[in-house]
Amino acid sequence: MASTVPNISLNDGNSIPQLGFGVFQIDPKDTVQAVRAALDVGYRHIDTAEMYGNEAEVGQAVRESGLDRREVFITSKLNNGFHRPDDARRAFDSTLEALKMDYIDLFLIHWPLPTLYDGDFVSAWKTLEEFRRDGRARSIGVSNFQVAHLERLAAETGTVPAVNQIEVHPYFGNEEVRAYDRGRDILTEAWSPIAQGKVLDDPTVIDIAEQVGRTPAQVVLRWHVQRGDIVFPKSVTPSRIEENFRIFDFELDDATMERITALDKGEAGRQGPDPDTFDYVPR
Ligand SMILES: NC(=O)c1ccc[n+]([C@@H]2O[C@H](COP(=O)([O-])OP(=O)(O)OC[C@H]3O[C@@H](n4cnc5c(N)ncnc54)[C@H](OP(=O)(O)O)[C@@H]3O)[C@@H](O)[C@H]2O)c1
């Protein structure tokens, strides 16, 4: 079986490596080292955000790696304070400046913030459409959008997001949003794919890991990719960065996939904020 990372087609004709490296909560001072380690192992997709405060270090790591810019897929996200169009334009300029790149592969609205900006996330989306038209964002998408938010974009704009990056892991399958995404050719990106480590002690996950001779993290990441979702586990630990990359040389059978899917606790399994009420704006 091929052990390389598959590229998945996006609805706009571009493609994205199904496995990437997430840098949420990596201190800027540790980011260059962590991203360099990931690139050395073979990751070619990095997921950052203005809110994470480490875009500059992501860009530095890519330059220091010696890889061609075009070989690495970079995602960043519009921070919550910048949804108004002029602010979004300035924020996007700053993201490219921090990365020291003249384009980004994927740019997302980080949160819909339906209780802020008079409920208007459509203007922010239309501003992202500008970035795509001028070529500085190759693809555009959303994050933490619920079905109602996606339906509103569909009704009021002409562009379908390439991806919707949402919380998904065995304790929170987020199936309604995933099904909506699938039906509209929007790829689901699963954030916190191992629930920040919380699913790794689960007895079912441990049992499966023993059966297939893999680690709990590899089993859970493999479950995600077999469901067709995109993942980018975060780690600052070199051995884990490598472990999380080795998920394309084994397969889980249908019954095993089902056992993991059955761990879903519905809304009770959600670890992060509820996108319908989340209104945090960093100052
Ligand atoms: N769009 C959004 O709103 C949003 C929200 C959250 C996350 N994200 C994205 O999703 C990415 C991943 O999510 P996440 O960072 O929240 O959590 P995660 O990837 O589910 O888990 C990261 C945690 O698990 C540990 N870990 C990683 N690999 C491990 C392994 N093989 N065995 C044991 N422990 C392991 C890490 O520890 P060490 O680092 O100490 O090794 C870290 O504490 C983020 O980095 C970010 O890019 C997006």
Side-chain angles (χ1 to χ4, degrees):
M1 190 187 296
S3 59
T4 51
V5 178
N7 273 310
I8 310 193
S9 296
L10 298 166
N11 62 23
D12 59 11
N14 296 325
S15 65
I16 182 170
Q18 192 176 14
L19 174 68
F21 183 69
V23 298
F24 177 44
Q25 292 174 331
I26 303 187
D27 199 294
K29 71 173 173 27
D30 302 324
T31 303
V32 174
Q33 202 180 2
V35 174
R36 287 287 310 270
L39 294 170
D40 282 350
V41 164
Y43 292 82
R44 292 291 180 268
H45 164 186
I46 312 294
D47 186 88
T48 184
E50 205 270 346
M51 202 188 291
Y52 305 166
N54 53 21
E55 290 172 311
E57 289 75 13
V58 167
Q60 186 185 337
V62 173
R63 281 191 305 284
E64 286 182 5
S65 74
L67 288 164
D68 191 297
R69 162 72 186 91
R70 286 165 299 189
E71 289 181 62
V72 189
F73 189 102
I74 307 281
T75 300
S76 194
K77 314 183 189 92
L78 181 70
N79 207 338
N80 292 350
F82 306 132
H83 276 214
R84 289 196 185 85
D86 278 342
D87 295 334
R89 291 180 191 112
R90 273 191 292 272
F92 184 63
D93 289 347
S94 304
T95 283
L96 291 181
E97 273 165 33
L99 288 162
K100 292 200 171 73
M101 292 176 180
D102 54 11
Y103 74 91
I104 194 155
D105 295 279
L106 178 61
F107 195 63
L108 311 179
I109 298 179
H110 206 148
W111 289 89
L113 309 174
T115 63
L116 301 181
Y117 301 105
D118 299 319
D120 175 21
F121 44 78
V122 176
S123 299
W125 177 252
K126 288 183 172 164
T127 314
L128 264 62
E129 288 178 330
E130 292 174 16
F131 308 152
R132 204 186 81 166
R133 274 196 298 275
D134 70 26
R136 291 183 303 151
R138 296 276 158 93
S139 296
I140 54 174
V142 295
S143 178
N144 300 298
F145 272 46
Q146 305 276 56
V147 169
H149 308 141
L150 294 167
E151 285 193 324
R152 182 153 165 218
L153 282 191
E156 297 184 33
T157 77
T159 324
V160 180
V163 307
N164 185 17
Q165 182 177 131
I166 54 173
E167 179 179 347
V168 184
H169 45 73
Y171 289 160
F172 185 56
N174 216 339
E175 300 301 354
E176 190 197 345
V177 182
R178 286 184 72 249
Y180 184 93
D181 288 350
R182 209 164 35 246
R184 304 301 186 286
D185 203 16
I186 299 168
L187 280 177
T188 296
E189 299 192 321
W191 65 249
S192 290
I194 54 173
Q196 301 199 332
K198 290 183 195 71
V199 295
L200 305 181
D201 298 328
D202 186 278
T204 300
V205 172
I206 291 173
D207 184 49
I208 293 168
E210 281 165 4
Q211 267 176 30
V212 300
R214 294 289 173 144
T215 67
Q218 287 172 325
V219 163
V220 173
L221 294 169
R222 180 71 208 174
W223 170 80
H224 283 285
V225 301
Q226 283 187 215
R227 280 157 49 102
D229 292 352
I230 294 163
V231 281
F232 22 79
K234 169 264 175 187
S235 179
V236 291
T237 314
S239 59
R240 290 173 173 174
I241 294 173
E242 176 142 19
E243 173 187 332
N244 296 343
F245 192 73
R246 310 264 167 243
I247 57 169
F248 294 102
D249 56 353
F250 74 107
E251 205 162 353
L252 302 174
D253 62 24
D254 290 350
T256 306
M257 288 291 292
E258 278 304 313
R259 282 181 73 197
I260 302 173
T261 305
L263 298 174
D264 191 3
K265 301 175 200 275
E267 203 52 41
R270 192 192 282 280
Q271 311 284 316
D274 180 343
D276 285 321
T277 53
F278 188 60
D279 62 359
Y280 169 69
V281 176
R283 305 276 170 207

